Amino acid sequence: METYIKFYAQVNQNTVIQLQRQVEQFLLQGMKTLHLLLSTPGGSVHDGISVYNLLKGLPIEVNTYNFGSVDSIGVVMFCAGSNRYSVPHARFLLHPVAMQIMSPQALDEPSIEEKLKLVKADQSNIAKVISCTINKQVEEVQKLIHSRTTLEPEEAKSKGLVTEIKSSLVPAGVPLISIYDNAVAMQQGIPGIQIPIPLRGIVQPGPQGVTSITDSFTTI
């Protein structure tokens, strides 16, 4: 059984929970191959790395596709694919990890050092994932990250990030599950998850958005 999921959203707790739920459901139905179509500006480092680790640890084949732009932590999610495809007109963006402080805080020296260690650890994990994927030294990947590197498909292929450039994404007649950011989708009247049902064309709404409150988190 092959499944196609389109992830067109920021990487956050809400969208990653949607993705994980869909993967879990299809695993119970006997999914053997997952095709994950990505176009994302990035977002939460924690959530993106969690998706990567989950997909790499499943006993299935995972193929990833860039159908627009895969930026920041989205590149790590893209690396989960054994086969990694890109359409001809797309891009990949690497840049350093940033920490956002969500509420007023008094930061003493140990607190600042702790947060800096968290940022460095996240950036190290990202570099290691990409390094393993493209068979380059971690230091070389770190330089790409610090240089805020943008890669077009041909250059991404030459570096080993993309295995093939092609325009086709989904075979005719195959159901495609779409995941959006519910906060944005609700503003535009779009359900968070759309599941086309063959022959009926019914669209079923997905789960409601999930809100979390944290004092700080890292994003790229």
Side-chain angles (χ1 to χ4, degrees), residues 10 12 15 27 33 56 83 90 115 129 141 166 174 176 219:
Q10 293 186 4
N12 56 43
T15 56
L27 282 172
T33 303
K56 293 296 285 187
N83 299 299
K115 293 185 183 300
V129 168
V141 175
K166 64 177 185 177
V174 172
L176 176 64
T219 63

Side-chain angles (χ1 to χ4, degrees), residues 13 210-214:
Q13 187 181 52
V210 178
T211 302
S212 67
I213 300 175
T214 56

Side-chain angles (χ1 to χ4, degrees), residues 2-6 35-38 65 67 85 87 166-178 196:
E2 298 191 25
T3 300
Y4 287 79
I5 299 178
K6 181 183 71 175
H35 301 273
L36 180 59
L37 284 62
L38 295 167
Y65 303 73
F67 69 94
Y85 304 103
V87 297
K166 64 177 185 177
S167 298
S168 59
L169 295 171
V170 183
V174 172
L176 176 64
I177 297 170
S178 296

Side-chain angles (χ1 to χ4, degrees), residues 19-107:
L19 176 59
Q20 290 180 354
R21 284 176 176 170
Q22 293 302 313
V23 171
E24 290 165 5
Q25 290 176 12
F26 283 107
L27 282 172
L28 291 174
Q29 296 173 23
M31 175 177 62
K32 299 299 183 183
T33 303
L34 171 64
H35 301 273
L36 180 59
L37 284 62
L38 295 167
S39 186
T40 173
S44 166
V45 173
H46 163 74
D47 291 306
I49 289 181
S50 296
V51 169
Y52 170 84
N53 288 328
L54 173 66
L55 296 181
K56 293 296 285 187
L58 295 177
I60 61 173
E61 178 184 341
V62 177
N63 300 313
T64 52
Y65 303 73
N66 179 351
F67 69 94
S69 60
V70 170
D71 297 345
S72 308
I73 196 62
V75 176
V76 170
M77 292 172 61
F78 183 80
C79 286
S82 299
N83 299 299
R84 298 175 300 278
Y85 304 103
S86 175
V87 297
H89 310 294
R91 76 169 191 203
F92 298 86
L93 173 63
L94 301 172
H95 65 77
V97 173
M99 175 167 283
Q100 299 183 11
I101 307 299
M102 302 301 293
S103 58
Q105 297 184 55
L107 299 176

